[in-house]
Amino acid sequence: MAALRYAGLDDTDSEDELPPGWEERTTKDGWVYYANHTEEKTQWEHPKTGKRKRVAGDLPYGWEQETDENGQVFFVDHINKRTTYLDPRLAFTVDDNPTKPTTRQRYDGSTTAMEILQGRDFTGKVVLVTGANSGIGFETAKSFALHGAHVILACRNMGRANEAVTRILEEWHKAKVEAMTLDLAVLRSVQHFAEAFKAKNVSLHVLVCNAAGFALPWSLTKDGLETTFQVNHLGHFYLVQLLQDVLCRSAPARVVVVSSESHRFTDINNSSRKLDLSYLSPSKSDYWAMLAYNRSKLCNLLFSSELHRRLSPRGVTSNAVHPGNMMFSSIHRSSWVYTLLFTLARPFTKSMVCASPYLACRSQLRMPGSCSVTVHPILTKHELCQGLQLDEQPGRPSDPHTCTSQQQGAATTVYCAVAPELEGLGGMYFNNCCRCLPSEEAQNEETARALWELSERLIQERLGSPSS
């Protein structure tokens, strides 16, 4: 009562009056919980009515929410120059009336990665994302970093990777994020990366195989293989082989392989229905950039399925994803033809080009039924959209079309990496956060095994030792 009066409010609801020794508190995302100082416990339900509540609306004009050195939330009334640990919105709480479960899909193509991670705390988790300096990879890495995870950006271009790290730290200076060199077009680089990662003596809970090349002109890597095939498939295959012991030691762990719907438009078996290396790593005369990309994406699906079959008994699951229909990104920059195509299609696509700041905050709160944990309240989709339009990078005009869409591209990847309902499940393919059937060829277990064995042989022939 005294606290309410101090906050400028009066308690007029006798039913909600707390018994002696109880205190009403709120989390930073607006949920009400109750602390019993006599028994030193907390709970979500009101001790008299048994109801759950949350605060409604924003803080009154002139009020601001802050956190003290002990992680406790307090409120500052700048108009009357006073502070209180009581949320002034407690006078306007509403009952939390759980609705019956619905069969409607929880997430879809308009969902953002931040919405999927809302309220989740990944402190102590290690996430590795390849190709994380831009596009989907950057949004994936940033979303995890802003929710407490230790995120490693594995990139070929360290200049751009360090810029990406700086952009994340500008949004939250306490983010635990770093960049490491990884060139998937060079098997020795993959090997050196794995050695450097293992030297850190950290776990690996989520590995996102995101990096890819698109519309690349024909060329051979230093290892003598066509570049698209090695970057999009073989490099990731070797990376997972080298880190599989770390993944198994960190179980439960998840691998997410970014594929594409374009896998449906190709095959990698010859007329005898045998896996053909000349299809995967063609000569210059037989090369077509789009076909090479499609085949590499089919390899991604086959690899993910076979990886799950082999490692799921050891607590490591793998799923493949398509990020969304007609994703506009910088992946096409290798060809002016595809640049023109993507430019014409841009009004009808999601955009991954503009990377604007997101706001997130974290605080230490003692939550009901637990020890002191970290809470990361995230902006609502509407607020996020407003923030994107207002906080464009300097010198870059605001584009309403890109509002939240760069986050949408990372949503399916993040969903497969964290969804509780996918715990222990894998070997599946997701599009717009929804499971769907891949092509018949992508479901061919015999082809998947043949691709795995071929990949092992290609690596062994070039490095002179077993890939694992």
Side-chain angles (χ1 to χ4, degrees):
M1 293 287 288
L4 283 169
R5 286 194 295 271
Y6 181 72
L9 307 168
D10 290 320
D11 183 9
T12 58
D13 190 351
S14 59
E15 181 189 54
D16 287 341
E17 185 174 347
L18 292 171
W22 285 84
E23 180 187 357
E24 197 172 32
R25 297 179 181 176
T26 56
T27 66
K28 293 193 76 172
D29 50 355
W31 292 100
V32 178
Y33 67 101
Y34 303 90
N36 186 330
H37 295 290
T38 303
E39 300 180 13
E40 296 184 351
K41 68 176 186 179
T42 59
Q43 63 187 50
W44 292 113
E45 297 80 11
H46 189 286
K48 289 177 64 177
T49 67
K51 296 179 179 178
R52 292 191 178 197
K53 294 190 173 185
R54 56 184 174 84
V55 296
D58 299 325
L59 288 169
Y61 175 75
W63 286 79
E64 184 179 8
Q65 181 176 266
E66 295 186 6
T67 307
D68 64 20
E69 63 276 5
N70 297 319
Q72 178 67 48
V73 176
F74 68 94
F75 302 87
V76 181
D77 180 359
H78 292 289
I79 296 178
N80 297 307
K81 295 181 173 55
R82 57 183 179 177
T83 62
T84 176
Y85 283 93
L86 187 71
D87 190 330
R89 297 170 295 176
L90 284 172
F92 311 103
T93 57
V94 296
D95 291 342
D96 175 31
N97 298 315
T99 57
K100 293 182 179 180
T102 174
T103 56
R104 180 181 177 274
Q105 183 181 335
R106 185 161 48 140
Y107 303 119
D108 55 30
S110 63
T111 303
T112 66
M114 292 294 235
E115 288 174 330
I116 290 173
L117 294 177
Q118 184 170 3
R120 303 285 298 274
D121 174 31
F122 291 92
T123 300
K125 301 296 184 181
V126 181
V127 178
L128 170 60
V129 185
T130 67
N133 58 279
S134 63
I136 299 170
F138 174 76
E139 294 299 331
T140 301
K142 181 178 70 172
S143 298
F144 276 113
L146 295 183
H147 285 80
H150 175 189
V151 180
I152 296 173
L153 283 64
C155 306
R156 178 179 59 84
N157 188 322
M158 283 305 293
R160 295 179 64 191
N162 289 326
E163 289 176 3
V165 169
T166 300
R167 287 161 59 194
I168 295 173
L169 291 174
E170 286 174 350
E171 297 192 33
W172 185 40
H173 70 282
K174 293 184 179 180
K176 193 171 184 181
V177 56
E178 61 179 304
M180 294 178 64
T181 303
L182 171 64
D183 187 350
L184 294 166
V186 182
L187 293 177
R188 286 293 181 191
S189 174
V190 178
Q191 191 177 68
H192 295 157
F193 173 88
E195 292 170 353
F197 181 89
K198 290 180 177 179
K200 294 178 177 292
N201 292 317
V202 296
S203 300
L204 181 56
H205 303 98
V206 177
L207 170 55
V208 180
C209 299
N210 166 82
F214 176 83
L216 300 176
W218 183 88
S219 65
L220 294 179
T221 66
K222 292 182 179 179
D223 300 298
L225 296 167
E226 192 277 314
T227 303
T228 302
F229 168 68
Q230 181 164 334
V231 170
N232 295 7
H233 165 67
L234 193 64
H236 280 126
F237 174 87
Y238 190 36
L239 176 66
V240 175
Q241 288 286 84
L242 294 174
L243 296 181
Q244 69 175 9
D245 57 333
V246 183
L247 286 164
C248 294
R249 199 166 56 241
S250 309
R254 301 189 190 188
V255 177
V256 182
V257 182
V258 179
S259 182
S260 169
E261 277 291 283
S262 65
H263 82 275
R264 299 184 185 278
F265 310 121
T266 190
D267 195 350
I268 55 176
N269 288 329
N270 58 26
S271 58
S272 301
R273 305 306 300 163
K274 298 294 184 181
L275 186 65
D276 195 331
L277 179 59
S278 67
Y279 282 25
L280 300 175
S281 181
S283 64
K284 187 174 183 179
S285 60
D286 295 328
Y287 180 77
W288 180 34
M290 192 70 230
L291 184 58
Y293 179 78
N294 294 350
R295 285 171 172 166
S296 71
K297 295 292 102 177
L298 176 56
C299 288
N300 290 156
L301 269 158
L302 293 166
F303 163 57
S304 177
S305 298
E306 185 65 17
L307 176 66
H308 178 74
R309 280 191 286 272
R310 291 171 180 253
L311 291 191
S312 56
R314 301 175 64 186
V316 180
T317 60
S318 179
N319 285 297
V321 305
H322 171 68
N325 296 330
M326 277 300 289
M327 183 64 60
F328 180 82
S329 74
S330 59
I331 195 173
H332 63 277
R333 59 181 175 268
S334 299
S335 168
W336 69 268
V337 176
Y338 290 108
T339 298
L340 177 61
L341 175 63
F342 274 64
T343 301
L344 294 174
R346 185 178 183 184
F348 311 101
T349 68
K350 300 175 186 178
S351 171
M352 290 299 305
V353 175
C354 175
S356 304
Y358 291 86
L359 301 178
C361 53
R362 67 201 302 263
S363 64
Q364 293 289 336
L365 291 175
R366 186 167 296 280
M367 301 298 293
S370 69
C371 301
S372 181
V373 298
T374 307
V375 180
H376 301 263
I378 306 301
L379 294 178
T380 64
K381 183 175 181 180
H382 175 68
E383 293 167 329
L384 193 60
C385 186
Q386 288 181 321
L388 282 171
Q389 292 175 331
L390 293 174
D391 297 325
E392 293 290 338
Q393 293 180 349
R396 180 174 293 174
S398 177
D399 182 358
H401 171 71
T402 66
C403 177
T404 77
S405 56
Q406 53 267 59
Q407 271 279 303
Q408 293 167 359
T412 306
T413 299
V414 171
Y415 172 75
C416 287
V418 306
E421 58 267 29
L422 295 182
E423 188 65 49
L425 301 178
M428 297 180 287
Y429 176 56
F430 289 81
N431 184 355
N432 287 329
C433 301
C434 179
R435 184 188 178 186
C436 59
L437 285 177
S439 67
E440 289 187 13
E441 185 61 30
Q443 301 175 61
N444 190 320
E445 294 187 12
E446 184 179 345
T447 302
R449 284 192 295 271
L451 176 63
W452 187 284
E453 293 167 1
L454 172 64
S455 301
E456 285 186 323
R457 189 176 77 245
L458 291 174
I459 294 169
Q460 186 171 358
E461 288 172 352
R462 282 150 182 79
L463 299 183
S465 61
S467 61
S468 58

